[in-house]
Amino acid sequence: MTTEPPPPGSGNSPDDDPFRKPPPSGGGNPYDNPPPPGGGGPYGPAGGGGPYGGDPLAGMPPLAPSGKRVLARVIDMIIVGVVVWLLSMLFNVGTWDSDVDNIDAGKSFGQSLIAAILYIAYDTILTARTGQTVGKRLLHLRVADLSNGATPSTQTSLIRAVVLWLPFAFCCACIWTIICGGWSFFDRPYKQGLHDKAAKTVEVTTG
């Protein structure tokens, strides 16, 4: 199975996506199945079962280390953050002021709006095209649909980006980033962040 990202412009999980796994016997998505009797998650009881033989990751590259995911996210935040800062200055909506009493709420909202639009657009477009943002490409990671290993569709990429970046931009940047992204350090067995769980994706290595 290839670990190289598909060429630019692929996007939207086409049928010829080189990352797409063959459909499992019986078909279906592990999220679509009701919990089995006696407990367990949508993937079947622990240790077996489920439409993928107990492991939706079968046939995929290894899951991305959480530390590399964080580093890739920091790279992306710096890249987009510089653009947000420049546009905030251009449109005079920057809120940097040594006197906190002089901060304009309207400017603060304008800056947050620019940040939300840019971060969400950046993550959605690049993830839907190749499964990789700039940070992920540099760290040899990519986002994949948990159900079949394919590059996420635009809709899936948008859901993932909105869950990650909307709270970041408007209310609790540091806290939400730590909770949402840091969730993968403790999540088992798929090392998903909260944005991955919302979009039903995972992050894997590419080499």
Side-chain angles (χ1 to χ4, degrees):
M1 180 176 180
T2 179
T3 59
E4 291 300 318
S10 54
N12 292 337
S13 302
D15 291 337
D16 59 352
D17 188 331
F19 296 121
R20 183 182 293 276
K21 299 190 300 182
S25 58
N29 183 311
Y31 280 97
D32 295 333
N33 295 319
Y43 309 96
Y52 294 91
D55 186 7
L57 301 177
M60 288 194 204
L63 290 171
S66 295
K68 292 183 72 173
R69 291 184 58 162
V70 170
L71 183 55
R73 184 61 64 196
V74 169
I75 293 172
D76 293 331
M77 290 173 67
I78 292 173
I79 291 172
V80 181
V82 169
V83 179
V84 170
W85 179 77
L86 291 174
L87 290 178
S88 296
M89 294 299 98
L90 178 63
F91 292 105
N92 193 31
V93 293
T95 59
W96 296 275
D97 196 312
S98 58
D99 184 358
V100 295
D101 293 328
N102 290 331
I103 294 178
D104 188 309
K107 288 186 176 182
S108 178
F109 177 81
Q111 182 184 327
S112 296
L113 182 61
I114 290 175
I117 292 173
L118 289 182
Y119 276 112
I120 291 173
Y122 170 86
D123 224 302
T124 300
I125 293 170
L126 294 185
T127 300
R129 291 184 66 191
T130 64
Q132 294 179 300
T133 59
V134 174
K136 288 179 176 53
R137 185 177 293 275
L138 291 174
L139 273 295
H140 305 289
L141 312 175
R142 76 173 181 88
V143 182
D145 279 333
L146 178 59
S147 62
N148 57 18
T151 300
S153 67
T154 299
Q155 180 180 358
T156 297
S157 300
L158 178 60
I159 292 172
R160 191 175 186 274
V162 166
V163 172
L164 178 62
W165 293 119
L166 204 59
F168 170 89
F170 283 103
C171 66
C172 42
C174 294
I175 295 176
W176 182 247
T177 301
I178 292 172
I179 294 175
C180 191
W183 201 270
S184 67
F185 282 91
F186 309 101
D187 184 71
R188 295 295 181 272
Y190 304 112
K191 294 184 178 181
Q192 292 174 299
L194 296 181
H195 51 310
D196 289 311
K197 290 186 177 296
K200 304 172 187 175
T201 58
V202 290
E203 285 195 28
V204 297
T205 61
T206 63

